[in-house]
Amino acid sequence: MKFSERWLREWVNPSIDSATLADQITMAGLEVDAVEPVAGSFSGVVVGRIVECLPHPNSDRHLVTKVDIGSELLLNIVCGAPNCRVDICVAVATIGALLGDFKIKVKKLRGASSEGMLCSFSALGISADHGDIIELPIDAPIGHDIRDYLQLDDNTIDISVTPNRADCLCLLGIARDISVVNRLPLQQPQIDPIVPVIDSSLPIRIDAIYACPCYLGRVVKNIDVSVTTPLWMKEKLRRCGIRSVDAVVDINNYVLLELGQPMHTFDLNSIDGGIHVRLAQQGEALTLLDGSEAVLTSDTLVIADQKKALVIAGIFGGFNSGIGPTTHDIMLECAFFNPLAIAGQAGRYGLHTDASHRYERGVDPTIQRRAMERATALLLTICGGQPGPVIDVTAATALPQPATITLRRAKLDRLIGHIIADHEVNDILIRLGCKVNRTTEGWLVQAPSWRFDMEIEEDLVEEVARFYGYNTIPNIPVHSNFKIPHHSEATLPLSRVKAMLVDRGYQEAITYSFVDPKIQTLLYPEQALLLPSPISVEMSAMRLSLWTGLLSVVIYNQNRQQQRIRLFESGFRFVIDNTANLGIRQDFMLAGVITGQRFDEHWDMECQPVDFYDAKGDLEAILELTGKLDDIEFKTQANPALHPGQSAAIYLKEEAIGFIGVIHPVLEEKLNLNGCTLVFELLWEKINARKVPEATNISRFPANRRDIAVVVAEDIPAAAVIAECKKINMNQLISVNLFDVYRGRSIAKGFKSLAISLILQDSTSTLKEEEIAATVARCVAVLKQRFQASLRD
């Protein structure tokens, strides 16, 4: 939205400079994009009158003129403009005048002396029109400085108007805000009712009341459309970014910029019978003002007569009903169209007009009568004519009603964070045009008719803060009683474990704590915790394990052709415990489930189903983060949900902390699981305390490796053998690793061979062979004593 600063100051004129005014507009919520002078830099240009205009003796394209600028002598000036002629007032750049960096001097053009220059708008930096010289009104004062006469010490201010502030798409709306900011009265133009001098009128029928609850028309006869638009009006329109067309169109645009109300003018002779406001017929054709043809849809509002559509309502005029050079009788239209009826319609037909831009956002539903009277007065002053009465068809009940909002003192203080005095709040709201009543809690406010954006309490809080001044609200540091929580480096964050599982191909699941008791009973035959008032039968038991929800998710995904599934979840399980509060203990658990192929399908990888060791590897990766993997043991222990030969209880220093294993084949069948499914579950509180790494010196001496193969009974876990080895001479034995398990020829039935590597290193010296042999011998002796192990031949 562009507007003239001088025009704005006609409405409200605060004693501030242009920069401060622009800052005020921005702080009021209307961001100023640019402030530009309306004319270029020039001096020495005055009003003159051409008193003689003769052909140039040596040029067919130039004329030699004598120009009166109020001095004793007439000026000889050569001019080539096509509109140069006798008895017009012009802008004359005299000798010594500066037009930007160009200085006017006496010079000869084709042998004729030229003592100045007749200026065009482009020469003065006013517009890009390079052709004609400026034609001033015949009563322009001769010799008067053109800058003062045209009031060119002015700026064009370009602002960004947000969609909720359609009221600021006109001078009236912007002036309202500036008057509130500066506590100044608003100087609105005097608009008096026009007394009709003829009885001419037209019948107006409105079918789409919801879309057009208010329609005003007025017949004006015997106007002169050939009249030139006054220069003062042309200049105001130009400074607002609108090109002058003709007097009637310019008047409509002037009222649009002044009051924000779009207007339209019909050639009265093109209307058959009367005005009919209706929805278009599907496929109805209309030739628009620009000559293009629009094929209308059935939800497009049109202004029609008894035979045809005349215009697309609120958007674009029709070619056959527009005014032309032969028009003498017109009908002025001024209406309120519901924004919902106009929104999107212009874009559908590839149009965007000043009228549609405003109607889509909403115009003041009470301003139509004033706009009609204002347009009529300007029309009669400029074009003459005989006005008829205003034809007003309004359905008051269908017009939008201003919102009534309760503004609470407590809410105002809380949202702004600063206490604004009651009388200031009251004053701001009244100056905004609101009707205000005090209540015990604050204020009861009725929004003004032009403010569609005032609907809820927060809108009023914003208005109060806006006009109280954001810069006026003191900058007070926020005082907080928050304390930085204690963070122990030894605590393993759950987020770290989740990130690691995601990196290993898992996805996090979140399931309900309420589960289907039928599924849970299959996993845990013991008594379930049933809810007295469940959401549904399928969610009537508290979960005893996260496996219940995770397996349900697996089934859901397998039923939708997802075969490779890796999920994890963290949450509470609920276990009956008579020692706990209310007899129920809540344990925070971390659980996971995998099924399907080990890897995604790949041309260079063999398709292999997951097995126990895939789940165990993921679980050990979690335990590795705690630094306690060496303290973990996997022991055989029955679990009704797991395969007896492919499952284990997880122990940390002889304390059970969870389970891992393959779902029992019987349950797999009952649950309709597709293929081998592995699960694990851990008590989070047992593993979230990790060993803090300590920095140690790196030995400068070489490490030595020795491999041993020991034969032990089949039922002895390899982990127990490794753990026993690690207890021997810890200062020298830095690593123990199982790298092979052998069963077969030369190994008795019921036994297995474990190949173990021993890495030895000392931090103070190079180990001698005798020391290495002694450590290995000691390791073998301990294994023989503990497990009856023997060295393999």
Side-chain angles (χ1 to χ4, degrees), residues 3-9 12-27 30-38 151-159 174 178 182:
F3 62 91
S4 160
E5 178 185 344
R6 183 179 287 272
W7 194 3
L8 175 65
R9 289 182 182 273
V12 56
N13 191 14
S15 300
I16 54 178
D17 60 19
S18 299
T20 306
L21 177 63
D23 184 64
Q24 276 191 0
I25 294 172
T26 295
M27 293 308 296
L30 306 171
E31 183 180 0
V32 173
D33 294 329
V35 178
E36 298 175 345
V38 301
Q151 298 179 333
L152 296 177
D153 289 327
D154 188 12
N155 293 305
T156 292
I157 301 177
D158 190 0
I159 63 174
I174 300 167
I178 298 304
N182 293 280

mmCIF file of all heavy atoms in Angstrom, residues 3-9 12-27 30-38 151-159 174 178 182:
data_model
loop_
_atom_site.group_PDB
_atom_site.id
_atom_site.type_symbol
_atom_site.label_atom_id
_atom_site.label_comp_id
_atom_site.label_asym_id
_atom_site.label_seq_id
_atom_site.Cartn_x
_atom_site.Cartn_y
_atom_site.Cartn_z
ATOM 1 N N PHE A 3 1.098 5.489 -0.234
ATOM 2 C CA PHE A 3 0.291 6.682 -0.002
ATOM 3 C C PHE A 3 1.208 7.883 0.130
ATOM 4 O O PHE A 3 2.407 7.773 0.390
ATOM 5 C CB PHE A 3 -0.594 6.530 1.247
ATOM 6 C CG PHE A 3 0.178 6.337 2.526
ATOM 7 C CD1 PHE A 3 0.558 7.422 3.304
ATOM 8 C CD2 PHE A 3 0.527 5.066 2.951
ATOM 9 C CE1 PHE A 3 1.258 7.253 4.473
ATOM 10 C CE2 PHE A 3 1.227 4.878 4.125
ATOM 11 C CZ PHE A 3 1.602 5.971 4.889
ATOM 12 N N SER A 4 0.603 9.050 -0.043
ATOM 13 C CA SER A 4 1.326 10.312 0.050
ATOM 14 C C SER A 4 1.376 10.776 1.501
ATOM 15 O O SER A 4 0.354 10.828 2.190
ATOM 16 C CB SER A 4 0.643 11.363 -0.824
ATOM 17 O OG SER A 4 1.000 12.668 -0.433
ATOM 18 N N GLU A 5 2.572 11.123 1.949
ATOM 19 C CA GLU A 5 2.705 11.628 3.318
ATOM 20 C C GLU A 5 1.918 12.919 3.512
ATOM 21 O O GLU A 5 1.242 13.112 4.527
ATOM 22 C CB GLU A 5 4.180 11.868 3.640
ATOM 23 C CG GLU A 5 4.398 12.441 5.037
ATOM 24 C CD GLU A 5 5.849 12.802 5.311
ATOM 25 O OE1 GLU A 5 6.746 12.344 4.563
ATOM 26 O OE2 GLU A 5 6.084 13.568 6.267
ATOM 27 N N ARG A 6 1.939 13.786 2.519
ATOM 28 C CA ARG A 6 1.208 15.060 2.632
ATOM 29 C C ARG A 6 -0.294 14.803 2.718
ATOM 30 O O ARG A 6 -1.006 15.485 3.461
ATOM 31 C CB ARG A 6 1.552 15.963 1.439
ATOM 32 C CG ARG A 6 0.898 17.340 1.500
ATOM 33 C CD ARG A 6 1.312 18.174 0.301
ATOM 34 N NE ARG A 6 2.685 18.623 0.413
ATOM 35 C CZ ARG A 6 3.056 19.759 1.033
ATOM 36 N NH1 ARG A 6 2.143 20.534 1.582
ATOM 37 N NH2 ARG A 6 4.309 20.095 1.075
ATOM 38 N N TRP A 7 -0.784 13.823 1.950
ATOM 39 C CA TRP A 7 -2.212 13.494 1.994
ATOM 40 C C TRP A 7 -2.569 12.951 3.379
ATOM 41 O O TRP A 7 -3.612 13.285 3.945
ATOM 42 C CB TRP A 7 -2.536 12.473 0.907
ATOM 43 C CG TRP A 7 -4.007 12.302 0.627
ATOM 44 C CD1 TRP A 7 -5.033 12.997 1.197
ATOM 45 C CD2 TRP A 7 -4.601 11.398 -0.301
ATOM 46 N NE1 TRP A 7 -6.240 12.566 0.693
ATOM 47 C CE2 TRP A 7 -6.005 11.591 -0.237
ATOM 48 C CE3 TRP A 7 -4.110 10.458 -1.177
ATOM 49 C CZ2 TRP A 7 -6.897 10.855 -1.002
ATOM 50 C CZ3 TRP A 7 -4.988 9.729 -1.967
ATOM 51 C CH2 TRP A 7 -6.372 9.924 -1.872
ATOM 52 N N LEU A 8 -1.706 12.120 3.937
ATOM 53 C CA LEU A 8 -1.954 11.608 5.286
ATOM 54 C C LEU A 8 -2.011 12.749 6.294
ATOM 55 O O LEU A 8 -2.869 12.756 7.197
ATOM 56 C CB LEU A 8 -0.855 10.612 5.670
ATOM 57 C CG LEU A 8 -0.911 10.064 7.109
ATOM 58 C CD1 LEU A 8 -2.167 9.221 7.322
ATOM 59 C CD2 LEU A 8 0.333 9.248 7.420
ATOM 60 N N ARG A 9 -1.129 13.726 6.131
ATOM 61 C CA ARG A 9 -1.088 14.842 7.086
ATOM 62 C C ARG A 9 -2.312 15.753 6.963
ATOM 63 O O ARG A 9 -2.554 16.575 7.842
ATOM 64 C CB ARG A 9 0.202 15.638 6.915
ATOM 65 C CG ARG A 9 1.441 14.871 7.403
ATOM 66 C CD ARG A 9 2.701 15.705 7.259
ATOM 67 N NE ARG A 9 3.896 14.980 7.670
ATOM 68 C CZ ARG A 9 4.371 14.922 8.922
ATOM 69 N NH1 ARG A 9 3.721 15.574 9.883
ATOM 70 N NH2 ARG A 9 5.459 14.252 9.204
ATOM 71 N N VAL A 12 -4.270 13.773 9.711
ATOM 72 C CA VAL A 12 -3.673 13.904 11.034
ATOM 73 C C VAL A 12 -2.237 14.363 10.830
ATOM 74 O O VAL A 12 -1.497 13.766 10.051
ATOM 75 C CB VAL A 12 -3.731 12.571 11.820
ATOM 76 C CG1 VAL A 12 -3.077 11.428 11.073
ATOM 77 C CG2 VAL A 12 -3.134 12.717 13.208
ATOM 78 N N ASN A 13 -1.851 15.445 11.506
ATOM 79 C CA ASN A 13 -0.557 16.067 11.236
ATOM 80 C C ASN A 13 0.257 16.206 12.518
ATOM 81 O O ASN A 13 0.313 17.279 13.117
ATOM 82 C CB ASN A 13 -0.752 17.422 10.574
ATOM 83 C CG ASN A 13 0.551 17.989 10.038
ATOM 84 O OD1 ASN A 13 1.555 17.281 9.929
ATOM 85 N ND2 ASN A 13 0.549 19.270 9.715
ATOM 86 N N PRO A 14 0.903 15.112 12.945
ATOM 87 C CA PRO A 14 1.738 15.214 14.150
ATOM 88 C C PRO A 14 2.983 16.058 13.871
ATOM 89 O O PRO A 14 3.477 16.118 12.742
ATOM 90 C CB PRO A 14 2.111 13.760 14.451
ATOM 91 C CG PRO A 14 2.007 13.064 13.134
ATOM 92 C CD PRO A 14 0.901 13.750 12.385
ATOM 93 N N SER A 15 3.493 16.684 14.894
ATOM 94 C CA SER A 15 4.665 17.565 14.754
ATOM 95 C C SER A 15 5.945 16.737 14.798
ATOM 96 O O SER A 15 6.767 16.854 15.728
ATOM 97 C CB SER A 15 4.660 18.628 15.858
ATOM 98 O OG SER A 15 3.501 19.413 15.784
ATOM 99 N N ILE A 16 6.116 15.902 13.824
ATOM 100 C CA ILE A 16 7.292 15.041 13.731
ATOM 101 C C ILE A 16 7.748 15.006 12.286
ATOM 102 O O ILE A 16 6.972 15.307 11.366
ATOM 103 C CB ILE A 16 6.993 13.599 14.218
ATOM 104 C CG1 ILE A 16 5.778 13.016 13.481
ATOM 105 C CG2 ILE A 16 6.771 13.556 15.712
ATOM 106 C CD1 ILE A 16 5.448 11.585 13.863
ATOM 107 N N ASP A 17 9.024 14.660 12.060
ATOM 108 C CA ASP A 17 9.538 14.607 10.702
ATOM 109 C C ASP A 17 9.150 13.283 10.034
ATOM 110 O O ASP A 17 8.547 12.405 10.650
ATOM 111 C CB ASP A 17 11.052 14.814 10.677
ATOM 112 C CG ASP A 17 11.808 13.761 11.486
ATOM 113 O OD1 ASP A 17 11.232 12.682 11.776
ATOM 114 O OD2 ASP A 17 12.974 14.007 11.841
ATOM 115 N N SER A 18 9.536 13.164 8.773
ATOM 116 C CA SER A 18 9.130 11.993 7.987
ATOM 117 C C SER A 18 9.708 10.699 8.547
ATOM 118 O O SER A 18 9.034 9.663 8.573
ATOM 119 C CB SER A 18 9.567 12.163 6.525
ATOM 120 O OG SER A 18 8.962 13.294 5.953
ATOM 121 N N ALA A 19 10.966 10.749 8.990
ATOM 122 C CA ALA A 19 11.603 9.532 9.511
ATOM 123 C C ALA A 19 10.904 9.053 10.772
ATOM 124 O O ALA A 19 10.663 7.852 10.954
ATOM 125 C CB ALA A 19 13.078 9.798 9.788
ATOM 126 N N THR A 20 10.563 9.981 11.658
ATOM 127 C CA THR A 20 9.868 9.608 12.890
ATOM 128 C C THR A 20 8.467 9.087 12.582
ATOM 129 O O THR A 20 7.989 8.129 13.207
ATOM 130 C CB THR A 20 9.780 10.813 13.841
ATOM 131 O OG1 THR A 20 11.096 11.335 14.056
ATOM 132 C CG2 THR A 20 9.173 10.412 15.180
ATOM 133 N N LEU A 21 7.798 9.723 11.604
ATOM 134 C CA LEU A 21 6.471 9.256 11.209
ATOM 135 C C LEU A 21 6.544 7.822 10.679
ATOM 136 O O LEU A 21 5.715 6.969 11.034
ATOM 137 C CB LEU A 21 5.888 10.181 10.142
ATOM 138 C CG LEU A 21 4.523 9.777 9.574
ATOM 139 C CD1 LEU A 21 3.452 9.792 10.666
ATOM 140 C CD2 LEU A 21 4.120 10.702 8.426
ATOM 141 N N ALA A 22 7.543 7.539 9.847
ATOM 142 C CA ALA A 22 7.699 6.184 9.312
ATOM 143 C C ALA A 22 7.960 5.186 10.428
ATOM 144 O O ALA A 22 7.440 4.060 10.412
ATOM 145 C CB ALA A 22 8.844 6.157 8.292
ATOM 146 N N ASP A 23 8.752 5.590 11.417
ATOM 147 C CA ASP A 23 9.023 4.702 12.544
ATOM 148 C C ASP A 23 7.756 4.448 13.352
ATOM 149 O O ASP A 23 7.508 3.318 13.796
ATOM 150 C CB ASP A 23 10.116 5.322 13.439
ATOM 151 C CG ASP A 23 10.501 4.395 14.582
ATOM 152 O OD1 ASP A 23 11.021 3.302 14.303
ATOM 153 O OD2 ASP A 23 10.264 4.769 15.756
ATOM 154 N N GLN A 24 6.941 5.467 13.534
ATOM 155 C CA GLN A 24 5.668 5.297 14.246
ATOM 156 C C GLN A 24 4.758 4.312 13.520
ATOM 157 O O GLN A 24 4.124 3.455 14.144
ATOM 158 C CB GLN A 24 4.958 6.646 14.385
ATOM 159 C CG GLN A 24 5.417 7.484 15.555
ATOM 160 C CD GLN A 24 4.490 8.673 15.780
ATOM 161 O OE1 GLN A 24 3.501 8.865 15.065
ATOM 162 N NE2 GLN A 24 4.805 9.475 16.790
ATOM 163 N N ILE A 25 4.711 4.449 12.195
ATOM 164 C CA ILE A 25 3.851 3.553 11.410
ATOM 165 C C ILE A 25 4.328 2.110 11.558
ATOM 166 O O ILE A 25 3.520 1.186 11.723
ATOM 167 C CB ILE A 25 3.841 3.983 9.927
ATOM 168 C CG1 ILE A 25 3.171 5.363 9.787
ATOM 169 C CG2 ILE A 25 3.107 2.963 9.061
ATOM 170 C CD1 ILE A 25 3.293 5.962 8.397
ATOM 171 N N THR A 26 5.639 1.902 11.503
ATOM 172 C CA THR A 26 6.187 0.552 11.662
ATOM 173 C C THR A 26 5.876 -0.013 13.035
ATOM 174 O O THR A 26 5.439 -1.167 13.172
ATOM 175 C CB THR A 26 7.705 0.565 11.423
ATOM 176 O OG1 THR A 26 7.961 0.916 10.062
ATOM 177 C CG2 THR A 26 8.314 -0.808 11.706
ATOM 178 N N MET A 27 6.087 0.779 14.075
ATOM 179 C CA MET A 27 5.843 0.303 15.435
ATOM 180 C C MET A 27 4.361 0.087 15.708
ATOM 181 O O MET A 27 3.999 -0.640 16.636
ATOM 182 C CB MET A 27 6.427 1.283 16.458
ATOM 183 C CG MET A 27 7.952 1.371 16.438
ATOM 184 S SD MET A 27 8.748 -0.251 16.572
ATOM 185 C CE MET A 27 8.241 -0.757 18.201
ATOM 186 N N LEU A 30 2.434 -1.605 10.968
ATOM 187 C CA LEU A 30 2.360 -1.468 9.516
ATOM 188 C C LEU A 30 3.777 -1.198 9.018
ATOM 189 O O LEU A 30 4.206 -0.051 8.934
ATOM 190 C CB LEU A 30 1.416 -0.332 9.114
ATOM 191 C CG LEU A 30 0.002 -0.420 9.703
ATOM 192 C CD1 LEU A 30 -0.771 0.868 9.410
ATOM 193 C CD2 LEU A 30 -0.737 -1.619 9.143
ATOM 194 N N GLU A 31 4.491 -2.257 8.701
ATOM 195 C CA GLU A 31 5.911 -2.132 8.385
ATOM 196 C C GLU A 31 6.131 -1.253 7.161
ATOM 197 O O GLU A 31 5.555 -1.480 6.098
ATOM 198 C CB GLU A 31 6.514 -3.509 8.147
ATOM 199 C CG GLU A 31 8.009 -3.463 7.879
ATOM 200 C CD GLU A 31 8.595 -4.837 7.637
ATOM 201 O OE1 GLU A 31 7.831 -5.812 7.679
ATOM 202 O OE2 GLU A 31 9.810 -4.933 7.401
ATOM 203 N N VAL A 32 6.981 -0.240 7.316
ATOM 204 C CA VAL A 32 7.318 0.660 6.219
ATOM 205 C C VAL A 32 8.432 0.032 5.402
ATOM 206 O O VAL A 32 9.521 -0.241 5.902
ATOM 207 C CB VAL A 32 7.751 2.039 6.753
ATOM 208 C CG1 VAL A 32 8.256 2.917 5.606
ATOM 209 C CG2 VAL A 32 6.584 2.720 7.460
ATOM 210 N N ASP A 33 8.151 -0.204 4.111
ATOM 211 C CA ASP A 33 9.143 -0.801 3.221
ATOM 212 C C ASP A 33 10.033 0.243 2.563
ATOM 213 O O ASP A 33 11.209 -0.017 2.300
ATOM 214 C CB ASP A 33 8.452 -1.629 2.134
ATOM 215 C CG ASP A 33 7.734 -2.842 2.704
ATOM 216 O OD1 ASP A 33 8.200 -3.387 3.721
ATOM 217 O OD2 ASP A 33 6.702 -3.248 2.136
ATOM 218 N N ALA A 34 9.456 1.420 2.280
ATOM 219 C CA ALA A 34 10.234 2.450 1.594
ATOM 220 C C ALA A 34 9.605 3.810 1.827
ATOM 221 O O ALA A 34 8.376 3.931 1.973
ATOM 222 C CB ALA A 34 10.317 2.159 0.093
ATOM 223 N N VAL A 35 10.467 4.839 1.884
ATOM 224 C CA VAL A 35 10.038 6.236 1.914
ATOM 225 C C VAL A 35 10.811 6.940 0.809
ATOM 226 O O VAL A 35 12.039 7.062 0.890
ATOM 227 C CB VAL A 35 10.310 6.890 3.280
ATOM 228 C CG1 VAL A 35 9.885 8.354 3.255
ATOM 229 C CG2 VAL A 35 9.596 6.144 4.400
ATOM 230 N N GLU A 36 10.104 7.382 -0.241
ATOM 231 C CA GLU A 36 10.768 7.956 -1.404
ATOM 232 C C GLU A 36 10.154 9.311 -1.738
ATOM 233 O O GLU A 36 8.925 9.489 -1.646
ATOM 234 C CB GLU A 36 10.630 7.028 -2.615
ATOM 235 C CG GLU A 36 11.276 5.658 -2.403
ATOM 236 C CD GLU A 36 11.010 4.725 -3.569
ATOM 237 O OE1 GLU A 36 10.113 5.042 -4.379
ATOM 238 O OE2 GLU A 36 11.689 3.681 -3.658
ATOM 239 N N PRO A 37 10.974 10.287 -2.143
ATOM 240 C CA PRO A 37 10.422 11.597 -2.545
ATOM 241 C C PRO A 37 9.571 11.455 -3.794
ATOM 242 O O PRO A 37 9.837 10.608 -4.658
ATOM 243 C CB PRO A 37 11.677 12.449 -2.794
ATOM 244 C CG PRO A 37 12.771 11.468 -3.046
ATOM 245 C CD PRO A 37 12.449 10.249 -2.233
ATOM 246 N N VAL A 38 8.561 12.307 -3.909
ATOM 247 C CA VAL A 38 7.639 12.199 -5.052
ATOM 248 C C VAL A 38 8.198 12.856 -6.296
ATOM 249 O O VAL A 38 7.645 12.700 -7.391
ATOM 250 C CB VAL A 38 6.266 12.819 -4.705
ATOM 251 C CG1 VAL A 38 5.647 12.117 -3.514
ATOM 252 C CG2 VAL A 38 6.389 14.319 -4.444
ATOM 253 N N GLN A 151 3.179 21.120 -4.618
ATOM 254 C CA GLN A 151 3.422 20.528 -3.302
ATOM 255 C C GLN A 151 4.300 19.276 -3.419
ATOM 256 O O GLN A 151 3.972 18.198 -2.948
ATOM 257 C CB GLN A 151 2.096 20.177 -2.617
ATOM 258 C CG GLN A 151 1.212 21.386 -2.360
ATOM 259 C CD GLN A 151 -0.105 21.035 -1.702
ATOM 260 O OE1 GLN A 151 -0.612 19.924 -1.847
ATOM 261 N NE2 GLN A 151 -0.676 21.990 -0.970
ATOM 262 N N LEU A 152 5.444 19.466 -4.068
ATOM 263 C CA LEU A 152 6.347 18.357 -4.343
ATOM 264 C C LEU A 152 7.303 18.049 -3.203
ATOM 265 O O LEU A 152 8.085 17.094 -3.307
ATOM 266 C CB LEU A 152 7.136 18.636 -5.633
ATOM 267 C CG LEU A 152 6.298 18.727 -6.911
ATOM 268 C CD1 LEU A 152 7.167 19.071 -8.097
ATOM 269 C CD2 LEU A 152 5.539 17.435 -7.150
ATOM 270 N N ASP A 153 7.268 18.834 -2.153
ATOM 271 C CA ASP A 153 8.037 18.474 -0.960
ATOM 272 C C ASP A 153 7.229 17.435 -0.187
ATOM 273 O O ASP A 153 6.655 17.701 0.871
ATOM 274 C CB ASP A 153 8.311 19.718 -0.106
ATOM 275 C CG ASP A 153 9.320 20.644 -0.761
ATOM 276 O OD1 ASP A 153 10.224 20.129 -1.453
ATOM 277 O OD2 ASP A 153 9.204 21.870 -0.602
ATOM 278 N N ASP A 154 7.180 16.277 -0.744
ATOM 279 C CA ASP A 154 6.317 15.209 -0.235
ATOM 280 C C ASP A 154 7.032 13.874 -0.438
ATOM 281 O O ASP A 154 7.984 13.767 -1.226
ATOM 282 C CB ASP A 154 4.978 15.238 -1.003
ATOM 283 C CG ASP A 154 3.944 14.286 -0.427
ATOM 284 O OD1 ASP A 154 4.162 13.769 0.698
ATOM 285 O OD2 ASP A 154 2.920 14.040 -1.095
ATOM 286 N N ASN A 155 6.601 12.870 0.293
ATOM 287 C CA ASN A 155 7.168 11.531 0.165
ATOM 288 C C ASN A 155 6.064 10.516 -0.107
ATOM 289 O O ASN A 155 4.938 10.668 0.379
ATOM 290 C CB ASN A 155 7.894 11.119 1.455
ATOM 291 C CG ASN A 155 9.128 11.956 1.717
ATOM 292 O OD1 ASN A 155 10.014 12.054 0.873
ATOM 293 N ND2 ASN A 155 9.195 12.571 2.900
ATOM 294 N N THR A 156 6.416 9.502 -0.873
ATOM 295 C CA THR A 156 5.548 8.336 -1.010
ATOM 296 C C THR A 156 6.014 7.291 -0.005
ATOM 297 O O THR A 156 7.183 6.897 -0.011
ATOM 298 C CB THR A 156 5.617 7.755 -2.430
ATOM 299 O OG1 THR A 156 5.018 8.682 -3.345
ATOM 300 C CG2 THR A 156 4.862 6.435 -2.508
ATOM 301 N N ILE A 157 5.110 6.870 0.856
ATOM 302 C CA ILE A 157 5.425 5.873 1.869
ATOM 303 C C ILE A 157 4.785 4.560 1.452
ATOM 304 O O ILE A 157 3.580 4.498 1.188
ATOM 305 C CB ILE A 157 4.921 6.301 3.263
ATOM 306 C CG1 ILE A 157 5.555 7.637 3.670
ATOM 307 C CG2 ILE A 157 5.216 5.225 4.305
ATOM 308 C CD1 ILE A 157 5.061 8.181 5.004
ATOM 309 N N ASP A 158 5.600 3.528 1.382
ATOM 310 C CA ASP A 158 5.130 2.195 0.975
ATOM 311 C C ASP A 158 5.140 1.295 2.206
ATOM 312 O O ASP A 158 6.184 1.114 2.843
ATOM 313 C CB ASP A 158 6.050 1.628 -0.109
ATOM 314 C CG ASP A 158 5.482 0.366 -0.753
ATOM 315 O OD1 ASP A 158 4.381 -0.062 -0.363
ATOM 316 O OD2 ASP A 158 6.154 -0.198 -1.638
ATOM 317 N N ILE A 159 3.975 0.745 2.559
ATOM 318 C CA ILE A 159 3.875 -0.089 3.749
ATOM 319 C C ILE A 159 3.389 -1.487 3.384
ATOM 320 O O ILE A 159 2.735 -1.679 2.361
ATOM 321 C CB ILE A 159 2.923 0.532 4.806
ATOM 322 C CG1 ILE A 159 1.496 0.633 4.252
ATOM 323 C CG2 ILE A 159 3.427 1.874 5.276
ATOM 324 C CD1 ILE A 159 0.472 1.096 5.280
ATOM 325 N N ILE A 174 -5.035 4.304 8.075
ATOM 326 C CA ILE A 174 -3.683 4.653 8.535
ATOM 327 C C ILE A 174 -3.743 5.870 9.442
ATOM 328 O O ILE A 174 -3.076 5.920 10.489
ATOM 329 C CB ILE A 174 -2.771 4.912 7.322
ATOM 330 C CG1 ILE A 174 -2.693 3.661 6.441
ATOM 331 C CG2 ILE A 174 -1.381 5.334 7.767
ATOM 332 C CD1 ILE A 174 -2.072 3.907 5.082
ATOM 333 N N ILE A 178 -2.344 6.572 13.398
ATOM 334 C CA ILE A 178 -1.413 7.658 13.735
ATOM 335 C C ILE A 178 -2.041 8.626 14.730
ATOM 336 O O ILE A 178 -1.371 9.143 15.633
ATOM 337 C CB ILE A 178 -0.975 8.397 12.453
ATOM 338 C CG1 ILE A 178 -0.227 7.438 11.522
ATOM 339 C CG2 ILE A 178 -0.083 9.585 12.797
ATOM 340 C CD1 ILE A 178 0.975 6.762 12.152
ATOM 341 N N ASN A 182 -0.416 9.413 18.489
ATOM 342 C CA ASN A 182 -0.017 10.777 18.864
ATOM 343 C C ASN A 182 -1.075 11.508 19.685
ATOM 344 O O ASN A 182 -0.895 12.686 19.996
ATOM 345 C CB ASN A 182 0.297 11.584 17.597
ATOM 346 C CG ASN A 182 1.530 11.074 16.873
ATOM 347 O OD1 ASN A 182 2.649 11.376 17.246
ATOM 348 N ND2 ASN A 182 1.313 10.279 15.828
#
